[in-house]
Amino acid sequence: MLGQRLEIRQGQGLVITPQLQQAIKLLQLSNLELDAFVEAELERNPLLQREDAEPGGEIEAPAAAENHDAAEMTFDEGRVADADRTLDARSDDVYGDASPGERTSDRMEDVGVGEAQVGLNDWSRAGSGGGLPDGEGREQPDSREMTLWEHLQAQASQAAFSPSDHAIALTLIDSVDEGGYLRGELAEIADRLGITLERVEAVLAVCHGFEPTGVMARSVPECLKLQLVERNRFDPAMDCMLANLDLLAKRDLSGLRKACGVDAEDMAEMIAELKALTPRPGAGFGGEPAQTVIPDVHVRADPAGGWKIELNADTLPRLIMDKRYHGVVAAGSRSDVEKTFVAECAAQASWLVKSLDQRAKTILKVSSEIVRQQDAFLAFGVEFLRPLNLKTVADAIGMHESTVSRVTSNKYVSTPRGVFELKFFFTAAIQSSDGGATHSAEAVRHRIKAMIDGEGRDGDVLSDDRIVEILKETGIDIARRTVAKYREALRIPSSVERKRMLKTG
């Protein structure tokens, strides 16, 4: 029998307000995207205004103080300053009690103003600019042309590099000029990353296979050689010509023929082949020049020991709500429409000021825990990179994993070893055979490569099974197929192929 009746039911549900959705997106914006969003808000909201940071302004907080306004955190002997762990569960641990309409301070607090690291080479660049998606959630399409850097970075992401080799590749790409030539010093990059020159050269050799052919060469002869090798036209005579390009520039064809040991006909063909090559492989890419990334966090050695972590003042928009102007326009409002508009502007301004403040503190908190976890990497190099995941960091600082994931997206940290995306420090773990601490997968890859690099001195070649035995003797529990996978990712031939190469070499 059908009928109507009235029932009362009690239940729980999570309602995500438009302001909360915007807050979540605000947390994961890069500094360039955040700046564009803030500029749009300044134009839209007459009660907001930008407050320029005072020159040289830097606020430090006591190392062990329970201070919610901490400007920096200092680690000494593995101890981390206690930070605010109270976050609102309704907002998925994103912004605590930062909600529109709440009373906040007039001035956004200066969190973590620090000095820029001098002489650090940025290993990556920022992505496309732009603010938040519009009210309907549609992102604006990016119609600009791809830059040379973006083209190379995309290929590096697909090259099956290990995390550290990927960072090396991006550092090399950062040193490429508009013509496609590598201008960085390999020895300096190796020294800064705490690795061998041979490893940087091995990564560069892979990058030399990127398109366009000849890109990332260190000289014109090397650029032309890469293109000739691809066309299967590189031979001793052509090698000699590339070594004597000065004679070709002087049109000293007789001297060039004598140096190369060819006749006039062969010389004419060789010159025609050179003319078909591209001496500036990067010149064909348009678009705006790629901008160097501005780190969100600076890490520097503390003279007292440990590391000092500071937010970069250049990436922190400092906004205030003009309460005096708010009072004037509120008093002058006559109609309900005007009063509603002023009230909405005041609520939005108050929320944005507080949200930016909380965003900065959240980035500082996550970055500080990552630095604490990866102290050995900063001190000794890539071989000491610890296994780390989002849950470990989230549990340590009392946040949700999704919050840590958002914070580490498009955020960069400047360290004495270079500039890295925060996600770089998250690596897989390999169990210890003796029940001790786990080992970073990247550190194990580095050890495998070092073992294989040491082959040939005594005529012995290590099989994958032998590598497994050696690693287990040192406390690393790893399967043979995992060793094979890491070896292939490092582009190292099998033991049979390496033994054949030693015999023929």
Side-chain angles (χ1 to χ4, degrees), residues 249-290:
K250 297 175 183 177
R251 298 185 180 276
D252 185 1
L253 299 185
S254 60
L256 190 59
R257 286 197 302 270
K258 183 178 179 181
C260 296
V262 297
D263 56 23
E265 183 178 355
D266 289 336
M267 177 60 60
E269 291 181 358
M270 292 168 64
I271 293 176
E273 289 178 0
L274 286 184
K275 288 182 178 180
L277 304 179
T278 305
R280 288 175 55 84
F285 285 81
E288 299 177 357

Side-chain angles (χ1 to χ4, degrees), residues 411-433:
K411 309 297 187 305
Y412 298 88
V413 55
S414 170
T415 74
R417 296 197 175 276
V419 178
F420 302 94
E421 187 177 10
L422 289 176
K423 284 188 177 297
F424 165 78
F425 295 99
F426 294 94
T427 62
I430 294 178
Q431 297 300 319
S432 174
S433 59

Side-chain angles (χ1 to χ4, degrees), residues 128-129 139-147 150 286-288:
S128 59
E139 296 185 0
Q140 299 297 326
D142 188 0
S143 59
R144 64 180 177 81
E145 297 181 65
M146 177 179 287
T147 64
E150 292 168 338
E288 299 177 357

Side-chain angles (χ1 to χ4, degrees), residues 121-287:
N121 186 22
D122 296 342
W123 67 272
S124 185
R125 302 174 190 262
S128 59
L132 294 173
D134 57 28
E136 297 181 0
R138 296 188 300 272
E139 296 185 0
Q140 299 297 326
D142 188 0
S143 59
R144 64 180 177 81
E145 297 181 65
M146 177 179 287
T147 64
L148 174 62
W149 178 87
E150 292 168 338
H151 182 63
L152 295 176
Q153 191 271 345
Q155 293 179 81
S157 299
Q158 300 174 0
F161 281 128
S162 66
S164 58
D165 282 349
H166 187 235
I168 296 170
L170 293 177
T171 304
L172 295 172
I173 292 172
D174 183 60
S175 300
V176 175
D177 64 15
E178 294 180 357
Y181 285 90
L182 182 65
R183 301 305 184 189
E185 293 293 335
L186 300 189
E188 185 273 334
I189 294 174
D191 181 67
R192 180 157 50 82
L193 296 179
I195 55 179
T196 63
L197 177 61
E198 289 75 14
R199 186 172 182 184
V200 178
E201 291 174 340
V203 173
L204 179 59
V206 177
C207 294
H208 280 163
F210 291 172
E211 293 291 338
T213 306
V215 74
M216 299 183 71
R218 288 161 287 183
S219 63
V220 173
E222 185 178 35
C223 176
L224 300 178
K225 175 183 176 180
L226 292 172
Q227 297 178 56
L228 289 169
V229 169
E230 184 191 46
R231 300 183 180 197
N232 198 26
R233 297 298 298 166
F234 185 75
D235 53 27
M238 190 63 78
D239 187 18
C240 183
M241 173 174 279
L242 295 180
N244 293 275
L245 289 179
D246 56 329
L247 296 178
L248 181 61
K250 297 175 183 177
R251 298 185 180 276
D252 185 1
L253 299 185
S254 60
L256 190 59
R257 286 197 302 270
K258 183 178 179 181
C260 296
V262 297
D263 56 23
E265 183 178 355
D266 289 336
M267 177 60 60
E269 291 181 358
M270 292 168 64
I271 293 176
E273 289 178 0
L274 286 184
K275 288 182 178 180
L277 304 179
T278 305
R280 288 175 55 84
F285 285 81

